[in-house]
Amino acid sequence: MKIRLALLLALIFSVASTVASSAAGDRYALVIGNAKYPDADMPLKEPVNDARDVADELKRDGFKVDIGENMTGDAMRRAFDRLYAKIKPGDVVLLFFSGYGIQSNRQSFMMPVDCQLWQEADVRRDGISLENVLTEINNRGAGVKIALLDASRRNPYERRFRSFSAGLAPVVAPNGTLVMYSAALSSVISDNGGDHSLFVQELLKEIRVPELMAEETLNKTRVGVTRASRQEQIPWISSSLSEDFSFVPGAGGTGTPRPPTPIVEPLPPAKPTAPAPGTTPQANLAPSQPPKVEPPVAPPAPPAPPPAAADNKPVQLPQPPAPQPPASQPSASSQPAAPTQVAINEDPTVKSLTAKIDANPDDFNALYRRGQVYASKGAYNLAIKDFDDTIRLHPKDVEALNNRCWARAVIGDLQSALKDCNEALRLKPDFVDALDSRGLVNLKAGQNKNAITDFDAALKLNSRLTSSLYGRGLAKQRNGSISEGNLDIANAKAMDPNIVQEFESYGVR
């Protein structure tokens, strides 16, 4: 009887083990690499190569992989819909995205290549919310949800709404989710100039380690990136996994071995389409347990700004005897030459806006947007002309006044720039962008105390405004506060390694 009972128990445990194994479900992955954004000066080098390498590795690890390159908004939404339709309870679902990511309203959005961003609301219209994606995957019953975003890049849209934080935002994810960003929250990194990102190089190295749990894999990736970058890039991880998961199970002798033949489901080529007029409604996000979150490293809180009256008081600025060359005329030794006017006018966004202006010369919105594009490409005189026409048609347009102030400051027309910034701040006293721009005007004119006043006020409104932090550091150094200036500059460079080159392009060294 005891022998029969033992055999019966063994049979029960065998059946239970089989059921548990099948309950682990299938593995699905959506891998996206977006590199060709029309508003950027040139395509990104890393995303497509990184996406292909990540897809190949995941296939070897038993994932059924969809891979998309340079996807429009419609193509991305269709890809996510196909992913949702496959998910069954207990499945493992992984998302990898490399491209431009932007945070808005405390959410992170993955941007398609055809996004048209002129104000913050456009981010939510054209972008794909990471939180919404994870919520939908969870609603379909996925047991393990993993999101890997290499999207903490400084993007060409930042100047258009600089009062909002750069980088990505913390994610509120469902239970059973593991999220990793390639850099710390609200920070940006630069591509390393190679064909693959440092983040993906370290990620692939750790994923290939047999039987390493997913959390340990990503933690080792974070350590590898931090060391290789000498702590200039520190990835961010949030985990609420409630079960063990390994990218390479069984390679050391237990579990399920890698399949000999990868399973591939290529996406159809994306056709350029207009951005969708709306986006997925916000879901009610409430994790069943709080995720483990690494706190971001933030710069010291800025001092309180001086009285508002000092912020708005007009200041007469002496013109410098020899202004530095603007960004449209960089030296051959430091930066590549700015695109010619012919090349700029062939830009798809410029061509589209020019067609609108030709059809309606009084379209001040199109004039303003084209001015922004010109300025972002270093064509400051063309930008100023468009801002002139915008302000002629709409004299109280504080955005156009601020942008003309900034463009005039870059080319060295400081008296006119100061008038524009003062008028923008008269109309909107707490306009952070205009405070930042006027700080640049004062800095270039040698009015260091006035520059510190403006940068202080801007940082009071947005403590992570890198340009104000760096500008204040320079002004403090020039005003004799060397140690305080060095601290501001170090914090600004930690937030944005390219900030020095940006200011040099403005003629500030």
Side-chain angles (χ1 to χ4, degrees), residues 37-40 342-352 373 377:
Y37 291 83
D39 281 354
V342 173
I344 291 173
N345 289 335
E346 287 302 311
D347 178 89
T349 303
V350 172
K351 290 176 72 173
S352 173
V373 177
K377 295 181 178 298

Side-chain angles (χ1 to χ4, degrees), residues 1-14:
M1 183 68 181
K2 290 182 180 180
I3 295 176
R4 291 179 182 176
L5 180 59
L7 290 173
L8 179 60
L9 289 173
L11 178 61
I12 291 173
F13 282 127
S14 173

Side-chain angles (χ1 to χ4, degrees), residues 40 99 193 284:
N284 183 16

Side-chain angles (χ1 to χ4, degrees), residues 186-402:
S186 297
S187 67
V188 292
I189 56 175
S190 302
D191 284 358
N192 59 25
D195 294 330
H196 298 84
S197 73
L198 174 60
F199 172 70
V200 168
Q201 291 175 31
E202 295 295 326
L203 174 67
L204 293 178
K205 185 190 306 181
E206 300 302 336
I207 280 182
R208 291 164 182 156
V209 178
E211 298 180 356
L212 200 63
M213 292 299 102
E215 285 183 334
E216 189 176 359
T217 297
L218 299 192
N219 278 321
K220 286 180 175 291
T221 300
R222 179 177 58 83
V223 171
V225 172
T226 303
R227 287 176 177 170
S229 67
R230 297 183 178 180
Q231 297 191 338
E232 291 185 0
Q233 179 180 347
I234 304 175
W236 177 85
I237 302 174
S238 172
S239 177
S240 61
L241 284 184
S242 54
E243 59 184 274
D244 289 338
F245 173 77
S246 175
F247 287 99
V248 190
T254 60
T256 305
R258 291 189 181 200
T261 305
I263 305 170
V264 189
E265 299 177 8
L267 295 174
K271 297 181 180 179
T273 58
T279 186
T280 306
Q282 299 293 319
N284 183 16
L285 306 177
S288 58
Q289 57 178 279
K292 297 178 285 188
V293 178
E294 296 177 357
V297 178
D311 294 345
N312 299 323
K313 182 179 179 180
V315 180
Q316 291 300 315
L317 300 178
Q319 293 290 345
Q324 295 287 340
S328 56
Q329 300 172 357
S331 63
S333 61
S334 61
Q335 298 184 32
T340 64
Q341 182 171 342
V342 173
I344 291 173
N345 289 335
E346 287 302 311
D347 178 89
T349 303
V350 172
K351 290 176 72 173
S352 173
L353 293 169
T354 300
K356 290 183 178 181
I357 295 166
D358 289 343
N360 178 12
D362 292 339
D363 187 343
F364 65 88
N365 284 321
L367 284 163
Y368 170 71
R369 292 178 178 182
R370 191 176 68 176
Q372 286 183 304
V373 177
Y374 281 149
S376 71
K377 295 181 178 298
Y380 295 109
N381 289 322
L382 293 174
I384 290 169
K385 184 179 182 302
D386 276 351
F387 295 141
D388 286 343
D389 290 337
T390 304
I391 294 166
R392 173 179 56 81
L393 294 166
H394 200 249
K396 294 185 179 182
D397 190 328
V398 294
E399 297 281 356
L401 284 164
N402 168 65

Side-chain angles (χ1 to χ4, degrees), residues 38-89:
D39 281 354
D41 291 335
M42 61 185 67
L44 297 169
K45 290 184 178 180
E46 300 168 352
V48 171
N49 291 332
D50 286 344
R52 292 173 181 176
D53 286 355
V54 169
D56 288 343
E57 180 60 33
L58 293 175
K59 294 167 195 173
R60 288 191 289 268
D61 294 336
F63 282 84
K64 301 176 183 179
V65 180
D66 280 2
I67 180 170
E69 300 174 4
N70 296 316
M71 302 185 77
T72 64
D74 282 349
M76 286 179 67
R77 279 180 277 272
R78 288 195 298 269
F80 279 110
D81 286 342
R82 284 193 294 273
L83 175 66
Y84 301 149
K86 300 172 187 174
I87 299 171
K88 304 178 301 297

